[in-house]
Amino acid sequence: MRRLVYVLLSREEKDRGDPGMTATSHVAASASGASRDWRTVLASSDVYAVLSDPAVMADPLPLAAWLRENAPVYRRTDGEYLVSRYEDVSRLFRAPPDHIRVQAAGILRSGAMEQHPSVRRLADTIGLRNPPEHTRLNRVYLRYFTATRVSALRQRTRAIVADSVRDLTARLAAGQQADLHELATALPTYMMSLLLDLPPADVSWLNTCVWRIEQPFDPTLTDTRLSDADRSSAELDAFVVDLVARRRGSGGGDLITALADTRDDEGGLSQNDIIAMVFTILAGGGPTMAWVIALALWRTLVRREHVDRLDGSPGGAAAYVEELLRFESPAMYSPIPRVAVRDIELGGEVLPAGSRIYGLITGANHDPRAFPDPGVFDPSRFDPSSRRRAAAPVLAYGTGIHRCVGAHLASMELEVVFEEISALLPDLHLDGPVTWGRTSYSRSVTALPVRLGTSAAARSAHQRP
């Protein structure tokens, strides 16, 4: 397989003119985070702006811990709430629709939603629909992302990753520096290419569109980014409409053909439903998955405890991946606006009907009430063969009716990546600054340079104590 040169975003788009996109050393970020007066910081800065700071993105745990223990129901100046304890976040995500409903109107804090094609596109996705529309669409998704169907893709996934790892190994053996972000982006691109029957170049372009369209989720959104999102939304819609027209009734085995030909008790899917579903599949399986893989690789490089669990033992990789998702939550909080239909009690406070509420996943996944010794990276808490009491479910994929429909696929991809790269991991070390994307809700590693060698100094400079 020819090595994929994958460019998700231009450097200008990654940085957006923001200085400090390269995180300070992890130990410095952690030390400063642990000692910062978060009450004073939050009194002068919006919590979402603080979360988007690269130093906080590299290590959000001190801020999350402060919120969880001192302001578990944090109220922003505009009246929105951010809850951070596991019980409250889980309850928020699992609440029935007569208590909590997702609300598309909450995406943009100001301005008319209907004016912006990108916001309309986000509003039509399954994540922003309530029953019964959500129930119907979710049934369609689940047909194609069952554990059995995902398991059938494992060998194809392994072949894709093995090819990328061989290419990576050859470059490193020749003394070259390599960027593991390329490995992290190659797999999701080829997987989407396989599932949608599209050339990798088309998938790469679509992923760029998806990233731009998702920008209205970010409370730090600028007018320029919103304009880019609207333009990309129109381009993606036109592409999918043309594709569906050509695929419908063709008998192809890809997901787009399957969606175009789907029939149920209510007839076929509307054109808008299909566009929204293709967008959702790309959003979860493309840029987001690339960031998850890169973040997981970064975490493993800076702290190598328990890498021996990737030795092929039954359940070892699965437990390792589950603990990675808990320890380094890719989504710091869920960007989906949830609104209280009636008064609801969270964290000992009664939030009135109409309140807009968000869940801080990073805080929940490190709540000692749910995970004993949450600061210890310990895959055995998710290993069925251990004698430990079963751990609480990790919230990285959400929970309840809006849990990520592609969770099985995402975890399988992560497991295969670590199984295939495990032999190389002991000889890899970071060889330059780790670079982070800048959104307030998602932790995205956009550069992860490595070389062969065993440089303890290089590793310790990036470690969380």
Side-chain angles (χ1 to χ4, degrees):
M1 184 187 302
R2 181 168 51 87
R3 181 171 68 89
L4 173 66
V5 180
Y6 179 98
V7 180
L8 177 61
L9 299 167
S10 68
R11 179 64 60 187
E12 178 183 2
E13 281 189 295
K14 286 180 181 177
D15 295 356
R16 284 296 179 193
D18 293 313
M21 289 302 296
T22 300
T24 57
S25 79
H26 202 194
V27 74
S30 181
S32 62
S35 61
R36 289 178 74 177
D37 181 355
W38 292 111
R39 189 181 302 277
T40 300
V41 170
L42 293 172
S44 59
S45 301
D46 181 77
V47 65
Y48 295 128
V50 177
L51 285 169
S52 68
D53 181 276
V56 174
M57 193 171 290
D59 187 6
L61 299 188
L63 172 59
W66 187 90
L67 287 167
R68 191 176 57 243
E69 302 308 321
N70 297 278
V73 183
Y74 181 82
R75 188 177 188 275
R76 296 178 68 223
T77 56
D78 64 359
E80 290 183 356
Y81 293 92
L82 183 67
V83 297
S84 51
R85 291 181 178 170
Y86 184 93
E87 181 181 358
D88 297 325
V89 176
S90 179
R91 186 180 173 202
L92 174 69
F93 290 175
R94 291 184 292 105
D98 60 340
H99 287 71
I100 295 287
R101 293 175 70 84
V102 296
Q103 187 180 79
I107 300 175
L108 285 183
R109 271 68 178 179
S110 61
M113 178 184 69
E114 295 79 10
Q115 295 177 359
H116 299 284
S118 59
V119 178
R120 293 198 301 270
R121 175 52 51 226
L122 293 174
D124 285 332
T125 61
I126 190 172
L128 281 160
R129 295 205 194 186
N130 294 291
E133 294 87 356
H134 177 277
T135 306
R136 180 194 179 209
L137 294 179
N138 201 48
R139 282 198 298 262
V140 176
Y141 278 112
L142 293 179
R143 295 178 193 174
Y144 305 108
F145 292 99
T146 64
T148 300
R149 283 179 177 264
V150 167
S151 180
L153 292 169
R154 185 176 285 267
Q155 290 308 311
R156 295 288 297 272
T157 306
R158 192 174 302 283
I160 292 170
V161 177
D163 186 80
S164 295
V165 170
R166 280 193 295 271
D167 179 78
L168 173 70
T169 303
R171 293 164 62 196
L172 291 168
Q176 301 175 30
Q177 184 189 75
D179 188 348
L180 288 186
H181 186 255
E182 290 186 15
L183 173 67
T185 53
L187 173 59
T189 299
Y190 278 119
M191 287 301 291
M192 289 297 100
S193 175
L194 174 66
L195 293 174
L196 302 178
D197 191 20
L198 289 172
D202 284 355
V203 174
S204 185
W205 173 77
L206 286 167
N207 284 341
T208 302
C209 290
V210 166
W211 184 89
R212 291 175 181 147
I213 295 167
E214 288 185 313
Q215 293 310 294
F217 275 138
D218 188 354
T220 64
L221 179 71
T222 63
D223 288 343
T224 298
R225 288 161 63 194
L226 180 55
S227 177
D228 290 345
D230 288 343
R231 183 178 65 254
S232 289
S233 182
E235 292 172 351
L236 182 141
D237 283 13
F239 182 91
V240 176
V241 167
D242 176 70
L243 197 60
V244 168
R246 289 186 284 113
R247 297 277 180 90
R248 180 173 279 123
S250 66
D254 61 282
L255 269 178
I256 293 176
T257 302
L259 293 174
D261 293 340
T262 291
R263 294 290 183 272
D264 59 18
D265 293 341
E266 299 180 36
L269 296 171
S270 70
Q271 177 174 283
N272 193 56
D273 284 340
I274 295 173
I275 297 171
M277 296 181 87
V278 172
F279 170 83
T280 300
I281 291 166
L282 286 164
T288 300
M289 194 63 224
W291 294 334
V292 170
I293 295 172
L295 180 66
L297 288 168
W298 166 78
R299 202 272 161 208
T300 301
L301 287 174
V302 299
R303 292 298 292 266
R304 297 166 186 252
E305 309 97 318
H306 303 289
V307 172
D308 59 336
R309 298 187 70 86
L310 299 172
D311 61 1
S313 58
Y320 188 87
V321 164
E322 194 71 7
E323 178 68 342
L324 275 172
L325 292 169
R326 183 197 70 83
F327 202 89
E328 299 288 358
S329 305
M332 290 191 284
Y333 67 91
S334 171
I336 296 174
R338 288 174 166 86
V339 176
V341 176
R342 59 180 71 180
D343 293 357
I344 184 171
E345 183 177 341
L346 293 172
E349 296 187 29
V350 177
L351 280 56
S355 296
R356 191 176 299 153
I357 314 166
Y358 295 83
L360 187 66
I361 297 171
T362 295
N365 280 343
H366 279 264
D367 190 338
R369 301 163 188 82
F371 303 99
D373 299 319
V376 176
F377 184 84
D378 183 7
S380 71
R381 71 177 85 231
F382 298 108
D383 190 339
S385 66
S386 73
R387 297 179 180 272
R388 299 184 56 168
R389 180 171 60 87
V394 174
L395 298 180
Y397 295 130
T399 188
I401 66 170
H402 289 288
R403 186 175 188 269
C404 174
V405 293
H408 290 306
L409 180 62
S411 288
M412 183 274 285
E413 289 185 33
L414 281 167
E415 290 169 22
V416 171
V417 166
F418 280 98
E419 288 167 353
E420 290 299 312
I421 203 173
S422 60
L424 194 60
L425 283 173
D427 297 322
L428 288 180
H429 69 79
L430 292 169
D431 190 48
V434 175
T435 306
W436 299 80
R438 189 160 190 163
T439 65
S440 63
Y441 64 88
S442 180
R443 302 175 67 207
S444 54
V445 175
T446 57
L448 193 59
V450 295
R451 283 188 188 274
L452 284 180
T454 53
S455 170
R459 287 200 298 271
S460 63
H462 295 270
Q463 287 183 355
R464 176 185 294 150

